[in-house]
Amino acid sequence: MQFQFRARLACLSLLAVFHLSPVYAQEQAYPSRPVRLIVPFPPGGAVDAGARLLANKLAERWSQPVVVENKPGGNTIIGAQSVLAAPHDGYTLFYASSSFTTLPSLNKSVPFSIERDFVPVATFNSGGWAVMASLASGANSIKEIVAYAKANPQKLAYASSGGSVQLLTEAFLRSAQINALHVPYKGAAGAMTALITNDAQLYFGNPLDALASAEGKRVKIIAVTSKARIPIMSTIPTVGESGLPGFTSEWWGGLMAPAGTPKPVLDQLFIDVSAVLQQPDVQTKIRQMSGEPGTDKPGDLGKRIAAELQLWSETAKASGIEPG
């Protein structure tokens, strides 16, 4: 009788472990229902395109819907807050971009800590910015734009739509040891128009937009900011090749989760994103968007974010950019 009682007790304990432990259930079944992927930008842009490519491929792999929800506004703060407000169980994820790391440098009040409240999973895609000069400036290279700035103090102007592009350009100016007047615009279209009309002589922009304007002979692409040349514009040198070997900067898109997400879920997400990135059609589509597929090892995205947070903070302070 005592043996039967102990056997029954053991069976009940085992059942409790299997049926009542949420961690065990999640390890075995994640995801067992639809997953939300929050994108803090409007539909149709470059970040949104990367997020939707990842979402579609994860949905195929999981046999579960991955629903992209666009929540723009507040320089990505609105989208980020919606992720933090949801349960931290792996079913609401965040598609971050390089602009996310500029938040503390450009905003007086950010209602969360990027490093404390979010966990980086993996980089999905990344790439360089196109450095463009106005045709009227006569500059055909980084060396020539630097020489123009030094020969014409206070005459070089750069366009930006604020945010990450402003910080990027200021970091470049510091590296080149030159000065330029910042001419702000509400969006990339306005900044590009300023370059075409020579209201600004320098602009860092999306490579695809740059190609379209350069092919129309309206601007000159003089370099790219990535470590290596961009395949779709392979004749354009990097900034490093052009005389500033210490300067590189890349945009990126990547998957993040709210802090407190179970580690088995985070581990599975990293495995699945890495598997998606091995698919030839995914690599082709990312390169068509002027990027390169992510090749992260665990922890790499976190290191990238920490380095950028420090760089943008130093750049903003050195350039006199006050948080708004």
Side-chain angles (χ1 to χ4, degrees):
M1 178 70 70
Q2 189 175 15
F3 173 79
Q4 289 178 340
F5 175 78
R6 288 179 177 175
R8 178 177 292 180
L9 184 62
C11 288
L12 289 172
S13 298
L14 189 60
L15 285 171
V17 169
F18 274 79
H19 290 287
L20 299 180
S21 171
V23 173
Y24 177 85
Q26 205 161 34
E27 285 180 347
Q28 296 301 303
Y30 179 83
S32 59
R33 53 188 170 85
V35 174
R36 300 164 64 215
L37 181 59
I38 306 301
V39 179
F41 292 95
V47 177
D48 180 68
R52 290 180 186 275
L53 176 58
L54 175 60
N56 290 339
K57 289 298 181 177
L58 287 176
E60 291 175 7
R61 183 173 174 84
W62 291 339
S63 298
Q64 290 288 348
V66 178
V67 182
V68 174
E69 295 184 17
N70 296 91
K71 293 185 179 293
N75 294 327
T76 73
I77 289 176
I78 291 175
Q81 283 186 299
S82 72
V83 173
L84 296 178
H88 298 189
D89 55 6
Y91 288 90
T92 301
L93 304 172
F94 188 57
Y95 192 84
S97 73
S98 44
S99 65
F100 194 47
T101 59
T102 68
L103 276 180
S105 299
L106 297 173
N107 296 269
K108 287 182 180 178
S109 178
V110 179
F112 51 79
S113 165
I114 292 174
E115 292 185 287
R116 185 182 65 243
D117 295 325
F118 286 88
V119 180
V121 177
T123 304
F124 183 62
N125 59 352
S126 64
W129 299 87
V131 187
M132 292 167 276
S134 66
L135 296 181
S137 72
N140 295 299
S141 67
I142 291 293
K143 288 182 179 179
E144 289 182 9
I145 202 75
V146 170
Y148 176 90
K150 291 181 176 179
N152 300 277
Q154 307 303 318
K155 288 188 178 181
L156 178 67
Y158 76 88
S160 91
S161 52
S164 56
V165 174
Q166 182 183 5
L167 286 172
L168 164 63
T169 311
E170 290 290 348
F172 166 79
L173 296 174
R174 288 182 67 205
S175 180
Q177 298 182 331
I178 58 175
N179 296 310
L181 172 68
H182 176 220
V183 185
Y185 292 88
K186 290 185 177 180
M192 184 69 82
T193 299
L195 195 68
I196 293 170
T197 59
N198 199 44
D199 289 326
Q201 293 75 48
L202 182 67
Y203 176 51
F204 288 66
N206 179 291
L208 296 180
D209 294 339
L211 274 177
S213 293
E215 288 171 356
K217 297 184 178 180
R218 294 182 293 172
V219 302
K220 177 77 173 181
I221 305 174
I222 58 176
V224 294
T225 64
S226 44
K227 294 178 182 178
R229 297 190 182 196
I230 299 175
I232 61 171
M233 50 173 70
S234 59
T235 61
I236 306 298
T238 66
V239 173
E241 291 175 311
S242 304
L244 290 177
F247 183 84
T248 61
S249 184
E250 294 186 338
W251 57 263
W252 54 267
L255 189 65
M256 300 183 76
T261 301
K263 188 176 185 303
V265 171
L266 295 173
D267 292 343
Q268 189 61 51
L269 285 168
F270 181 85
I271 290 170
D272 291 334
V273 172
S274 299
V276 165
L277 285 166
Q278 295 302 311
Q279 298 178 20
D281 64 321
V282 171
Q283 295 178 358
T284 297
K285 289 176 182 177
I286 288 175
R287 291 189 175 109
Q288 288 172 344
M289 293 188 287
S290 78
E292 284 295 318
T295 58
D296 281 6
K297 298 180 179 63
D300 281 357
L301 181 54
K303 293 175 184 176
R304 181 197 288 264
I305 288 171
E308 288 188 2
L309 286 169
Q310 181 177 348
L311 172 63
W312 300 139
S313 176
E314 293 172 353
T315 299
K317 289 175 183 177
S319 305
I321 297 174
E322 295 291 336

